[in-house]
Structure formats: structure tokens, C-alpha cells
Amino acid sequence: MYQKEQLLSRLSGYFSFIAIFISCLGLLGLVISTANQRTKEIGIRKILGARLRSILNILLKEFAMLIIIAIVIATPLCFYLMQKWLGGYAYRINIQWWVFLIAGCICVIIAIVTVGYQTLKAAHANPVDSLRSE
């Protein structure tokens, strides 16, 4: 009776994995590009005595706002669409709020790890090398 839904579930799982993978690659590319553009700024901040935490906060704050805006836009839309889709079944279930909280937390954690790693990589570089090109 639910063969179509099982097929749809498998296909949506595969395509969701591909979409998440592509979005993570896009985030990584954006972070690498931003870190490369701000290498001189990071070098100057290090020379002037900025701590690693303040350098991390600069880039994390920028990307965290983008992720939070995306979550705020996507959550009500997904909730509405899931309620419409699940409302068509004989045995209805309600979507719990914690599902969206967990998904949002996972997105934020992935972004923090990606931005943090690239920022640490740029911050540990020798500031003289980044400023030498002028």
C-alpha cells in the first residue's frame, strides 16, 4: 500500500545526502575564499597582538548570521510543507519542534567546524608571508 512512499523515502534520502554534500562543499569554498581575501587583515591583526579567539570570532560571527538567517527562513516553510504532506495520511502524526532544533544545531555545528578550521589554518600562517606581497 505504501510502496510509492517507500520509494520516495529512499530517493529523498539519496538526494538529501547529495544536496547536503554539495552545500557543505559550497560553504567550504566560501570560507576558503573569504579566508584568502582576509589573509592580510588576519596577518595585521596578529602582528598588532590579536588573540586567536578574536580572529575566530570575526569570521564565525559573519557566517553564523548567514546560517541563522537561513534557518529562520527554512524552518517555517519546512514545517508548513511537512504538515501538508503528513496531513494526507490516515494515521496522522505531528512534527515536533525539537526535530527542527536538532537540524538547525547540526547546521550550525557543521558551519562552526568548517569556518573554525579554515580560520585556524589562516591564523597559524606566518603573518610576514601574507604582508610581504605589498
Side-chain angles (χ1 to χ4, degrees):
M1 185 172 176
Y2 290 110
Q3 285 179 340
K4 289 181 184 178
E5 280 76 13
Q6 289 176 345
L7 177 65
L8 180 66
S9 173
R10 260 186 298 181
L11 286 176
S12 65
Y14 294 144
F15 286 119
S16 295
F17 176 76
I18 292 170
I20 290 170
F21 183 72
I22 290 172
S23 65
C24 286
L25 286 178
L27 177 66
L28 180 64
L30 185 63
V31 169
I32 289 172
S33 173
T34 303
N36 284 339
Q37 288 176 349
R38 297 178 89 172
T39 303
K40 290 185 183 187
E41 176 188 350
I42 292 171
I44 291 171
R45 287 181 185 275
K46 280 182 62 177
I47 288 173
L48 294 176
R51 298 199 185 273
L52 185 62
R53 180 177 292 168
S54 66
I55 294 172
L56 277 170
N57 283 339
I58 292 170
L59 289 178
L60 281 176
K61 192 183 311 179
E62 180 180 325
F63 284 100
M65 285 304 296
L66 292 174
I67 298 294
I68 290 172
I69 290 170
I71 290 171
V72 166
I73 291 171
T75 299
L77 179 66
C78 290
F79 181 77
Y80 174 74
L81 291 174
M82 290 300 294
Q83 289 292 76
K84 290 275 282 190
W85 180 55
L86 292 173
Y89 290 104
Y91 297 105
R92 293 186 180 113
I93 61 168
N94 292 324
I95 299 291
Q96 301 296 322
W97 61 270
W98 53 267
V99 173
F100 297 104
L101 180 69
I102 291 172
C105 288
I106 290 171
C107 290
V108 169
I109 288 170
I110 289 172
I112 287 173
V113 168
T114 305
V115 173
Y117 176 72
Q118 290 301 321
T119 305
L120 286 175
K121 198 166 129 182
H124 284 303
N126 192 356
V128 175
D129 293 336
S130 65
L131 298 174
R132 190 174 285 172
S133 65
E134 287 292 319

